[in-house]
Amino acid sequence: MHRLQGKVAIVTGSGSGIGQGIAKRLGSEGAKVLINYRGSEAGADDTRRFIESHGGEGVVLKADVTKMDDIQNLVDTAWSRFGSADILVNNAGLEIRSDFWDTKVEDYDRQMAVNLRGPYFLAQAFVRRLRDAKKPGRIVNISSVHEDMAFPGFTAYCCSKGGLRMMMHNLTVELGPLGITINNIAPGAIVTPINKTLLEDKPKLDALLAKIPLGRLGTTDDVAGMVAYLASDEASYVTGATFLIDGGLMRDYHEQ
Ligand SMILES: NC(=O)c1ccc[n+]([C@@H]2O[C@H](COP(=O)([O-])OP(=O)(O)OC[C@H]3O[C@@H](n4cnc5c(N)ncnc54)[C@H](O)[C@@H]3O)[C@@H](O)[C@H]2O)c1
């Protein structure tokens, strides 16, 4: 199936985890993909090789979404290498655990800068080029069930994801007239490096699994399929929504 043929996608943080799954999926559905990484290039190269082995095209670019020059470079490189940037997936993110009363200002700032300010200004750079070229586009933010659901010990993370939800609500209205849709995906617990500590703590993991009606953790493929749909022509009338991919976690309720 090549429903994204002719499209160009930027996927931030696509050298690992959910971003890697998304980039691979968009690439194998025909999109040309700008694969972004910040730390080690090895994962991003794996993503590129996977896309190429499925007949697609990918370019790897190092960029830090907290840096304005890097943000602009992501958009400009997509246009110079592929002639456009039609799909933006704001996936890069990080979470730092701390009780509210112990949160350090640098940890708060870092989470806000990566999880919220980066998506905001990358979306701005992405939209400016599309607006000038009078082209439509798609923005998908990988937020979290914690754009809405409390997560004690991760208040700054939740604030950043809650901000991403409001950004999406606002931009639905501001970008609609430009033909640009924007939606959030709210994953629950997905098996990726971000959850390393949890995955290695069996009692904690079992307690979490007991709260997931479908009884398992999610995979990066579970998320990637929704991104491919939202980026495709089939979703041309879909904007302003958050899509939960959490096995039912958000709806869990039991009386003891
Ligand atoms: N795994 C889960 O259970 C889960 C649940 C809900 C939401 N999420 C969200 O999914 C997204 C992806 O996380 P993941 O689970 O794949 O973990 P991950 O740690 O594998 O991925 C995060 C990616 O972001 C990149 N990144 C971090 N800071 C960056 C920066 N300044 N510039 C560019 N890239 C940067 C990292 O290099 C990494 O590739 C995050 O936004 C996360 O909050 C994950």
Side-chain angles (χ1 to χ4, degrees):
M1 186 169 30
H2 282 89
R3 58 184 166 168
L4 301 178
Q5 204 69 47
K7 305 284 187 212
V8 177
I10 299 170
V11 185
T12 63
S14 43
S16 68
I18 293 173
Q20 184 170 52
I22 293 168
K24 286 178 174 178
R25 181 66 180 262
L26 299 185
S28 32
E29 293 218 21
K32 292 177 175 145
V33 186
L34 193 68
I35 302 155
N36 158 244
Y37 74 99
R38 192 184 75 94
S40 143
E41 196 175 345
D45 277 337
D46 285 348
T47 312
R48 181 180 50 77
R49 276 196 292 273
F50 179 94
I51 292 172
E52 286 171 359
S53 71
H54 287 73
E57 220 178 311
V59 163
V60 169
L61 185 68
K62 182 175 174 124
D64 181 336
V65 300
T66 69
K67 297 194 173 133
M68 290 300 284
D69 287 350
D70 284 14
I71 283 176
Q72 193 59 50
N73 194 32
L74 274 170
V75 176
D76 291 347
T77 302
W79 281 82
S80 62
R81 292 294 296 267
F82 295 137
S84 186
D86 316 288
I87 302 158
L88 169 63
V89 184
N90 277 315
N91 164 80
L94 86 167
E95 59 176 45
I96 303 169
R97 205 204 126 72
S98 71
D99 287 330
F100 169 68
W101 35 84
D102 291 331
T103 304
K104 297 191 185 82
V105 73
E106 56 268 30
D107 288 347
Y108 175 96
D109 285 348
R110 180 103 201 114
Q111 289 174 93
M112 285 296 174
V114 177
N115 299 353
L116 183 56
R117 197 183 72 194
Y120 188 106
F121 287 103
L122 185 51
Q124 184 188 68
F126 172 79
V127 165
R128 283 175 173 165
R129 291 289 303 248
L130 287 175
R131 184 197 54 183
D132 294 350
K134 297 191 172 24
K135 288 187 74 180
R138 301 289 165 88
I139 300 173
V140 180
N141 300 316
I142 306 305
S143 96
S144 168
V145 288
H146 303 299
E147 69 164 45
D148 200 33
M149 187 192 209
F151 189 12
F154 292 88
T155 299
Y157 177 77
C158 293
C159 290
S160 69
K161 296 296 188 179
L164 205 49
R165 181 184 55 187
M166 266 326 290
M167 177 181 125
M168 178 273 285
H169 286 192
N170 261 58
L171 294 189
T172 298
V173 183
E174 289 197 59
L175 303 184
L178 302 178
I180 299 171
T181 68
I182 180 164
N183 293 284
N184 282 13
I185 291 179
I190 311 293
V191 180
T192 74
I194 216 172
N195 286 323
K196 191 172 180 294
T197 319
L198 171 75
L199 296 171
E200 288 167 356
D201 184 336
K202 191 162 179 338
K204 250 194 187 165
L205 186 58
D206 287 346
L208 172 64
L209 285 171
K211 287 179 185 294
I212 300 175
L214 288 181
R216 67 168 176 90
L217 299 178
T219 66
T220 59
D221 279 344
D222 289 326
V223 180
M226 178 58 86
V227 179
Y229 163 71
L230 289 171
S232 75
D233 289 344
E234 291 165 272
S236 64
Y237 202 56
V238 180
T239 193
T242 289
F243 295 87
L244 293 174
I245 301 191
D246 70 345
L249 173 70
M250 278 276 275
R251 304 293 177 233
D252 180 67
Y253 174 77
H254 292 282
E255 286 198 359
Q256 296 310 318

